[in-house]
Structure formats: structure tokens, C-alpha cells
């Protein structure tokens, strides 16, 4: 996928994406099955994969604190409107989403789940 992104990007263009990843040493089994990172996991790390695809000026910024703040905001915001949202999206969908948010908040607070912004430039 990264090589394909590199090919279609104009010279000098930047590709950027966010990744939710497990902290180093954390096994996926340590998290509830719904709380794991939705992105493909890699032992090599996304910056190295970007460089192998040809990107330069690769940067990886930890935005876990901001992710925690955002996820907590979504959790609390949805909870404050729970009655109406359950009617709109359905009870099961609401409860599933809120459960995932709680799991993510807990895993981030324990240092098990991280969020990164990864970017790189085409030569």
C-alpha cells in the first residue's frame, strides 16, 4: 500500500496517516478483542516501512495524549446524549461503540495503546 501511495504521489508531495498501535512489549491478547489496533501490525515500525517504499523526511509523532483527550470527549459526549443516540443508532450499536471507546481509554491510560501520526515526502 505504501509503495502504491508513493507511486501516485507527485514529486515533493507528502503522505500522512494516523496509526493506532500496541506499545512495545504489549501482546494483542493483553487487550480486549475489540480494543486492539485496527491497523495492520508491524514488527518493523511504520517509519521503516515508509523509507523502504521510497519516502524521505519520514516523521513519526506520538499523539497518544491527544487521542486520549479526543476519545474521552467522544465517550462523554455520547454518554451525555445516550437516550437520543440509542434511538438513532440502535441500542446494540451504541453500546458496542461506547464499549470500544471505554476499552481504548483504559488501554491508553495503561500505556498499552498508542496513536501516531506518520508522514513522509516523495523525493
Amino acid at each position: 500500500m505504501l509503495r502504491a501511495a508513493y507511486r501516485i504521489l507527485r514529486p515533493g508531495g507528502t503522505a500522512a496517516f494516523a496509526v493506532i498501535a500496541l506499545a512495545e512489549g504489549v501482546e494483542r491478547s493483553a487487550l480486549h478483542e475489540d480494543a486492539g489496533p485496527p491497523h495492520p501490525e508491524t514488527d518493523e515500525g511504520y517509519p521503516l516501512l515508509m523509507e523502504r517504499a521510497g519516502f524521505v523526511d519520514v516523521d513519526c509523532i506520538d499523539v497518544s495524549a491527544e487521542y486520549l483527550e479526543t476519545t474521552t470527549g467522544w465517550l462523554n459526549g455520547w454518554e451525555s446524549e445516550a437516550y437520543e443516540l440509542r434511538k438513532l443508532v440502535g441500542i446494540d450499536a451504541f453500546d458496542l461503540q461506547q464499549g470500544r471507546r471505554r476499552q481504548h481509554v483504559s488501554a491508553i491510560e495503561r500505556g498499552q495503546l498508542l496513536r501516531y501520526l506518520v508522514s513522509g515526502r516523495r523525493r
Side-chain angles (χ1 to χ4, degrees):
M1 178 185 89
L2 293 173
R3 285 190 178 115
Y6 185 85
R7 277 195 307 273
I8 64 170
L9 197 61
R10 72 171 189 244
T14 300
F17 55 93
V19 177
I20 300 170
L22 295 173
E24 189 173 327
V26 174
E27 297 291 327
R28 187 178 189 88
S29 61
L31 302 177
H32 187 278
E33 65 185 50
D34 291 334
H39 303 284
E41 295 177 47
T42 172
D43 292 332
E44 299 171 326
Y46 288 95
L48 181 58
L49 294 176
M50 295 268 302
E51 289 170 0
R52 285 185 182 163
F55 289 94
V56 296
D57 300 331
V58 174
D59 198 15
C60 184
I61 303 168
D62 184 341
V63 293
S64 301
E66 293 84 353
Y67 180 53
L68 175 60
E69 183 179 339
T70 300
T71 304
T72 301
W74 276 99
L75 176 67
N76 294 337
W78 274 53
E79 209 55 51
S80 71
E81 301 295 332
Y83 180 76
E84 291 298 321
L85 286 167
R86 280 190 170 108
K87 289 192 304 187
L88 286 171
V89 301
I91 293 170
D92 291 340
F94 177 89
D95 291 344
L96 178 65
Q97 186 60 45
Q98 286 297 85
R100 286 181 178 156
R101 288 184 179 119
R102 282 187 195 89
Q103 291 163 4
H104 274 224
V105 165
S106 178
I108 297 164
E109 289 175 338
R110 290 190 312 270
Q112 294 177 314
L113 206 57
L114 305 170
R115 181 146 189 144
Y116 295 105
L117 293 180
V118 183
S119 64
R121 185 178 53 80
R122 180 173 170 174
R123 295 181 196 273

